[in-house]
């Protein structure tokens, strides 16, 4: 099979399939390409299509004729309006381009006809397997309900998630002058409108709400026109009395489509057949067109079809995964919209604009500096002070800034005693400017260690060694708080040092393990733990209390109880690891019972003026595990017992988890807890830039931000973040011996002298 298939079948006549046909025909006019479309030429859902400058740039380079035709149709605008509780806030500089979906199809139809692509309308395509028998390539562009994907589900292995909101695509016959979000608080619940112009005289309007709101409002009983009329009455501020109309429109729930594989033999999926992304971050058409561009390029570049399809998937999958993560964050934000309604107006608007985590404060400042600066001012920042360098109070302790060095296991203690490594490691990061520096998980007993290299607080020698560290921090980095994280490994103990084999049992010298239930971390690999009985529960609780007394004696400023990552207390909280039938299992209240008993014992021993936090795993990333709703109730329970903040992490509870990794991927869980409960939260999880920190704080998604790997890369990350932002205030003081390094050193010159004179072409010279 060559890399340049001559006979190509395209299933589905949407923009992605049509554009793939155009590109492949242009690359080789000798190709025989047929597009099957079961509908009419003008049969399409929705109204307007939004395309990004990036996508348009790709189209311009690939086919200037299509680009010119599209450009003549575009409606362009810059502003986003957010209407909420009688107030409209506008953010400018965003740059959108949209056009009528029918015109897009007409342009692509015409281009196909010009190039000799055969278009077969009103015709159901033969099955992909049948087409593959006499075609070199079959492109399945048959949408979210793809029959091709369904027919070969055992190979593509799709995962389809149906979400909690209902929405309907409508239109109105006047052009909005901005991308419009309107929030309506009705007697039935919150509804939202997303609207944008797509022609000089028309706008797309999407109305969305939670399923229970949709049903309570009786919208589930209405037909298309009655639904349009009802929505027009609800969103009068945006519509100004204009009616709404449909286009075979119906209320539906968005479905996220993910496939493990995108190709099968000669058949390849593109667009919604391969993946979907929620409409609130852009158009599925954009992804489909970009798929077509990448597929055509890979077929042209690679020597064989299998290599071309592999290259296509390798190129597009990371881009699509990133888009889907952003879409998931955005759709979740709208699902939880009611929890943000009481935010101050500009914070609410900023939160909405940055909901996908792709737009940040610094990015928004480039688009609309005035709007971004007013958000900072409303946050309460003194002039010239970035949000991350504002103070934050927890009980009797005031942190000078919002940066936390996250707990990181170093596996470098000897018999639980921290040594010079810990002094240098923690001392360096304290000198580096963070408001709070956390120890690794410090174990409450020898049997509670993860590895032989884990630090402890169960002997006087360990207490004295920790006192050496706290004395250094308080003496040489005044203003930096030092926190201790207390924990017990549970079923994840008695393993090798991380770099010798993470979660692997020791070759020799294993110690017995205890847990909520007798379930090994990995069956057949890790040992089966002993289920704690009443005497064992009491012993562990008392070990935590004793370690707390030593932590206070050692001079720590804050104590965090580790109830995350599958360690002992986390094992009680998760239904996947707690199968008990006594009072310490079953319902969430039962699973909380022992962690709360331990918390109470620790709080009783910890000085009253010093704060306590609790780290939790807000999801197990596994079916049947802890849910985000559970996490909210867990946070509330600890707060009722006196926790001053919740440190919101995720996962590491079961080995078969499926985390949705990505930049700031865990922060939505902290956001949800804070929005639902008002409890201060520490956000963690791939926060890597000072812009991320500022953005999370300004949006109200976190009170503190914990960073781990950035502080391994750069112990002075916080001070360097201050220097990068031109900040020299009390939130980030440089230690006296380091002040000479508070500005970036000059680098070697790489540019030549700029020309002193530049002349354009001579008039009429053509040169």
């Amino acid at each position: 099979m060559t890399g340049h298939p001559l006979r190509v079948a395209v299933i589905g006549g949407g923009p992605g399939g049509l554009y793939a046909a155009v590109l492949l025909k242009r690359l080789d006019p000798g190709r025989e390409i047929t597009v099957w479309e079961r509908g009419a030429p003008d049969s399409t859902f929705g109204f307007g299509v939004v395309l990004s400058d990036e996508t348009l740039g790709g189209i311009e380079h690939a086919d200037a004729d299509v680009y010119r035709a599209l450009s003549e149709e575009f409606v362009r605008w810059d502003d986003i309006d957010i209407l909420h509780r009688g107030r409209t806030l506008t953010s400018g500089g965003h740059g959108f381009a949209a056009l009528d979906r029918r015109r897009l199809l007409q342009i692509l139809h015409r281009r196909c006809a010009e190039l000799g692509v055969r278009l077969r309308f009103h015709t159901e395509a033969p099955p992909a397997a049948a087409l593959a028998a006499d075609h070199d390539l079959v492109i399945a562009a048959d949408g979210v309900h793809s029959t091709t994907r369904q027919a070969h589900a055992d190979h593509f292995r799709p995962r389809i998630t149906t979400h909690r909101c209902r929405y309907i695509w409508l239109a109105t016959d006047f052009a909005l002058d901005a991308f419009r979000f309107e929030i309506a608080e009705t007697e039935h619940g919150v509804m939202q409108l997303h609207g944008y112009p797509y022609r000089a005289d028309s706008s797309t309007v999407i109305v969305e709400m939670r399923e229970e709101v949709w049903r309570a409002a009786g919208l589930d009983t209405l037909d298309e026109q009655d639904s349009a009329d009802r929505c027009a009455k609800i969103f009068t501020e945006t519509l100004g009395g204009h009616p709404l109309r449909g286009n075979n429109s119906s209320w539906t729930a968005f479905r996220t489509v993910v496939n493990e594989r995108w190709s099968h033999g000669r058949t390849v999926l593109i667009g919604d057949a391969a993946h979907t992304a929620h409409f609130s971050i852009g158009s599925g058409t954009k992804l489909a067109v970009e798929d077509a561009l990448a597929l055509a390029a890979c077929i042209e570049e690679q020597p064989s079809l299998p290599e071309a399809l592999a290259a296509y998937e390798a190129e597009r999958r990371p881009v699509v995964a990133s888009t889907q993560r952003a879409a998931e964050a955005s759709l979740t934000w709208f699902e939880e919209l009611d929890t943000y309604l009481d935010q101050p107006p500009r914070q609410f608007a900023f939160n909405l604009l940055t909901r996908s985590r792709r737009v940040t404060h610094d990015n928004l400042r480039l688009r609309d500096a005035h709007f971004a600066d007013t958000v900072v001012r409303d946050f309460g920042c003194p002039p010239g002070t970035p949000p991350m360098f504002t103070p934050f109070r927890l009980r009797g302790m005031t942190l000078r800034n919002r940066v936390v060095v996250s707990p990181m296991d170093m596996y470098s203690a000897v018999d639980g005693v921290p040594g010079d490594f810990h002094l240098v490691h923690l001392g360096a990061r304290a000198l580096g400017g963070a408001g709070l520096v956390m120890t690794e998980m410090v174990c409450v007993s020898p049997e509670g260690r993860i590895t032989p290299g884990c630090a402890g607080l169960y002997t006087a020698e360990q207490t004295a060694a920790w006192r050496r560290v706290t004395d250094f921090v308080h003496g040489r980095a005044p203003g930096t708080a030092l926190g201790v994280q207390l924990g017990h490994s549970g079923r994840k103990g008695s393993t090798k040092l991380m770099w010798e084999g993470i979660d692997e049992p020791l070759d020799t010298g294993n110690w017995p393990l205890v847990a909520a239930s007798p379930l090994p971390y990995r069956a057949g690999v890790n040992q089966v733990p002993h289920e704690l009985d009443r005497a064992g529960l009491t012993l562990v609780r008392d070990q935590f209390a004793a370690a707390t007394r030593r932590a206070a004696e050692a001079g720590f400023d804050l104590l965090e109880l580790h109830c995350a990552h599958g360690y002992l207390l986390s094992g009680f909280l998760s239904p996947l690891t707690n199968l008990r039938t006594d009072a310490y299992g079953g319902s969430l209240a039962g699973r909380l019972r022992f962690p709360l008993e331990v918390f109470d014992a620790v709080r009783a021993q910890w000085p009253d003026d010093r704060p306590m936090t609790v780290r939790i795993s807000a999801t197990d990333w596994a079916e049947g595990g802890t849910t985000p709703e559970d996490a909210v109730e867990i946070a509330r329970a600890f707060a009722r017992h006196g926790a001053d903040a919740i440190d919101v992490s995720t996962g590491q509870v079961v080995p078969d988890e499926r985390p949705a990794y990505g930049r700031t991927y865990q922060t939505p869980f902290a956001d949800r807890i804070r929005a639902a409960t008002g409890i201060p939260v520490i956000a963690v999880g791939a926060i890597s830039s000072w812009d991320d920190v500022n953005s999370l704080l300004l949006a109200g998604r976190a009170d503190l931000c914990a960073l781990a790997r950035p502080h391994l890369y750069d112990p002075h990350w916080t001070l360097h973040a201050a220097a990068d932002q031109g900040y020299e205030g009390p939130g980030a003081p440089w230690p006296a011996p380091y002040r000479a390094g508070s500005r970036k050193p000059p680098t070697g010159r790489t540019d030549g002298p700029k020309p002193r004179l530049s002349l354009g072409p001579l008039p009429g010279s053509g040169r």
Side-chain angles (χ1 to χ4, degrees):
M1 177 65 63
T2 69
H4 301 275
L6 293 178
R7 298 198 72 216
V8 179
V10 180
I11 305 173
L18 291 169
Y19 196 51
V22 166
L23 294 173
L24 290 172
K25 189 70 171 177
R26 281 208 66 202
L27 289 168
D28 185 348
R31 284 192 174 108
E32 178 187 312
I33 301 177
T34 305
V35 178
W36 277 268
E37 169 53 50
R38 63 185 177 185
D42 62 348
S43 176
T44 183
F45 68 92
F47 300 92
V49 174
V50 180
L51 296 175
S52 69
D53 289 341
E54 181 182 19
T55 304
L56 293 173
I59 293 173
E60 183 178 16
H61 283 93
D63 192 319
D65 290 341
V66 170
Y67 176 78
R68 280 193 296 271
L70 292 176
S71 297
E72 293 173 1
E73 301 289 335
F74 282 136
V75 175
R76 295 183 180 272
W77 73 99
D78 290 322
D79 289 349
I80 297 176
D81 287 346
I82 298 163
L83 286 69
H84 174 44
R85 293 184 174 174
R87 185 169 180 176
T88 300
L89 290 175
T90 300
S91 172
H94 294 276
F96 296 100
L99 77 161
D100 189 321
R101 187 178 176 89
R102 285 194 177 92
R103 284 295 298 138
L104 172 60
L105 292 176
Q106 289 168 4
I107 289 168
L108 293 174
H109 292 161
R110 185 175 67 235
R111 190 63 174 141
C112 283
E114 290 170 354
L115 294 170
V117 174
R118 292 193 295 183
L119 301 176
R120 302 185 63 178
F121 296 108
H122 303 288
T123 306
E124 192 77 42
L131 289 171
D134 57 4
H135 286 78
D136 301 316
L137 173 66
V138 179
I139 300 174
D142 46 351
V144 66
H145 301 293
S146 171
T147 56
T148 306
R149 184 184 67 230
Q150 184 177 352
H152 301 284
D154 57 335
H155 183 85
F156 293 122
R157 298 182 65 83
R159 299 195 310 276
I160 300 174
T161 304
T162 302
H163 298 283
R164 295 183 292 175
C165 283
R166 290 278 181 163
Y167 67 96
I168 188 169
W169 288 82
L170 301 167
T172 187
D173 293 326
F174 81 101
L176 292 164
D177 58 2
F179 204 121
R180 187 73 58 89
F181 294 98
E182 183 180 345
I183 314 302
E185 297 176 68
T186 75
E187 60 182 314
H188 307 292
V190 181
M191 305 177 185
Q192 61 259 18
L193 174 149
H194 314 237
Y196 57 87
Y198 68 93
R199 282 195 325 224
D201 60 355
S202 302
S203 299
T204 292
V205 172
I206 308 167
V207 177
E208 183 184 27
M209 66 200 71
R210 287 281 289 264
E211 170 113 11
E212 60 270 25
V213 176
W214 175 69
R215 292 189 183 280
L219 291 165
D220 59 323
T221 66
L222 302 183
D223 62 17
E224 178 184 59
Q225 190 56 53
D226 287 341
S227 291
D229 293 344
R230 180 79 173 277
C231 291
K233 291 177 182 177
I234 293 169
F235 294 101
T236 54
E237 191 167 356
T238 288
L239 298 172
H242 289 83
L244 289 169
R245 55 183 169 82
N247 173 25
N248 295 318
S249 305
S250 62
W251 292 97
T252 188
F254 188 81
R255 305 199 309 165
T256 296
V257 175
V258 176
N259 285 278
E260 285 191 14
R261 301 184 185 94
W262 292 0
S263 64
H264 176 39
R266 301 178 185 181
T267 300
V268 62
L269 305 177
I270 70 169
D272 284 354
H275 46 70
T276 59
H278 193 251
F279 56 81
S280 62
I281 69 157
S283 170
T285 301
K286 171 185 180 298
L287 286 176
V289 167
E290 291 173 350
D291 283 353
L293 282 163
L295 178 62
C298 290
I299 288 172
E300 183 70 9
E301 295 162 357
Q302 298 299 321
S304 70
L305 184 64
E307 289 171 290
L309 298 185
Y312 156 69
E313 187 167 343
E315 176 182 335
R316 289 295 294 157
R317 186 176 285 279
V319 177
V320 168
S322 175
T323 301
Q324 288 188 313
R325 285 193 298 270
E328 179 81 12
S330 180
L331 75 85
T332 300
W333 194 91
F334 281 111
E335 286 179 345
E336 303 298 327
L337 175 60
D338 61 337
T339 63
Y340 304 116
L341 295 176
D342 292 329
Q343 285 187 320
R346 282 196 183 87
Q347 185 178 64
F348 177 84
F350 180 83
N351 198 353
L352 188 154
L353 292 171
T354 61
R355 66 194 180 279
S356 73
R357 308 195 297 275
R358 286 192 157 183
V359 176
T360 63
H361 174 255
D362 209 41
N363 178 271
L364 192 61
R365 199 170 188 279
L366 292 174
R367 305 178 189 208
D368 189 339
H370 175 73
F371 180 86
D373 289 346
T374 58
V375 173
V376 171
R377 186 193 66 206
D378 287 0
F379 186 77
C381 298
T385 302
M388 66 187 293
F389 295 114
T390 57
F392 188 73
R393 186 174 181 83
L394 285 172
R395 202 169 283 239
M397 178 184 74
T398 299
L399 299 173
R400 68 185 177 202
N401 62 52
R402 308 297 187 96
V403 179
V404 179
V405 176
S406 196
M408 294 175 279
D409 286 318
M410 293 289 106
Y411 308 110
S412 299
V414 178
D415 294 327
V417 179
D420 290 347
F421 180 89
H422 296 81
L423 176 66
V424 174
H425 167 68
L426 294 169
R429 280 140 192 88
L431 291 169
L436 173 63
V437 176
M438 294 297 301
T439 69
E440 62 198 83
M441 185 176 92
V442 176
C443 305
V444 299
S445 68
E447 300 78 20
R449 292 176 297 165
I450 308 166
T451 76
C454 288
L457 256 175
Y458 45 85
T459 70
E461 183 183 5
Q462 294 162 358
T463 306
W466 282 118
R467 185 79 209 196
R468 180 175 174 237
V469 176
T470 63
D471 284 347
F472 176 86
V473 170
H474 294 149
R476 300 309 301 263
T480 300
L482 190 63
V484 61
Q485 185 188 70
L486 288 186
H488 187 298
S489 61
R491 71 177 189 154
K492 295 178 75 175
S494 192
T495 61
K496 296 178 180 179
L497 305 183
M498 180 179 66
W499 47 87
E500 294 176 351
I502 189 168
D503 296 325
E504 293 290 332
L506 297 170
D507 294 329
T508 61
N510 284 283
W511 55 84
L513 304 181
V514 296
S517 298
L519 302 171
Y521 181 62
R522 290 178 301 169
V525 178
N526 301 98
Q527 64 176 283
V528 178
H530 171 71
E531 180 175 299
L532 283 168
D533 57 15
R534 180 63 264 176
L537 294 170
T538 300
L539 174 63
V540 170
R541 183 198 66 198
D542 292 347
Q543 288 170 339
F544 270 96
T548 301
R549 291 192 294 272
R550 294 188 181 95
E553 182 184 343
F556 287 104
D557 303 295
L558 174 146
L559 186 147
E560 179 165 281
L561 188 64
H562 200 341
C563 296
H565 299 169
Y567 298 122
L568 181 66
L569 298 181
S570 171
F572 274 86
L573 292 173
S574 172
L576 296 177
T577 52
N578 184 344
L579 305 183
R580 300 173 74 105
T581 58
D582 63 3
Y584 294 97
S587 67
L588 179 57
R591 302 196 307 273
L592 267 163
R593 191 180 307 276
F594 183 61
L596 289 174
E597 286 182 5
V598 172
F599 181 92
D600 291 342
V602 170
R603 182 71 263 183
Q605 299 298 322
W606 189 239
D608 188 60
D609 62 329
R610 300 188 206 178
M612 269 189 68
T613 62
V614 178
R615 174 168 275 206
I616 66 170
S617 286
T619 176
D620 294 340
W621 299 111
E623 187 175 352
T626 298
T627 66
E629 292 80 9
D630 291 338
V632 169
E633 295 309 312
I634 290 169
R636 282 196 175 111
F638 279 114
R640 284 195 297 266
H641 282 248
D644 299 290
I646 305 298
D647 187 356
V648 187
S649 187
T650 65
Q652 302 181 52
V653 176
V654 292
D656 57 343
E657 65 179 5
R658 298 179 69 123
Y661 290 122
R663 189 178 122 261
T664 68
Y665 73 105
Q666 295 181 126
T667 60
F669 299 95
D671 179 16
R672 182 168 186 169
I673 288 172
R674 189 182 190 275
T677 68
I679 301 166
V681 297
I682 305 170
V684 305
I687 303 169
S688 57
S689 72
W690 51 259
D691 190 23
D692 285 337
V693 175
N694 287 332
S695 300
L696 291 166
L697 296 172
L698 288 172
R701 297 183 186 124
D703 300 282
L704 300 168
C705 292
L707 300 90
R709 287 179 177 85
H711 282 112
L712 292 179
Y713 181 78
D714 178 6
H716 294 82
W717 184 88
T718 305
L719 293 179
H720 291 153
D724 287 347
Q725 296 173 81
Y727 174 72
E728 299 178 350
W734 283 75
Y738 288 176
R739 279 183 194 141
S742 62
R743 297 182 184 275
K744 281 188 175 181
T747 58
R749 184 172 181 173
T750 58
D751 60 327
K754 290 182 168 42
R756 296 181 65 251
L757 185 63
S758 178
L759 297 175
L762 295 172
S765 69
R767 293 184 292 125

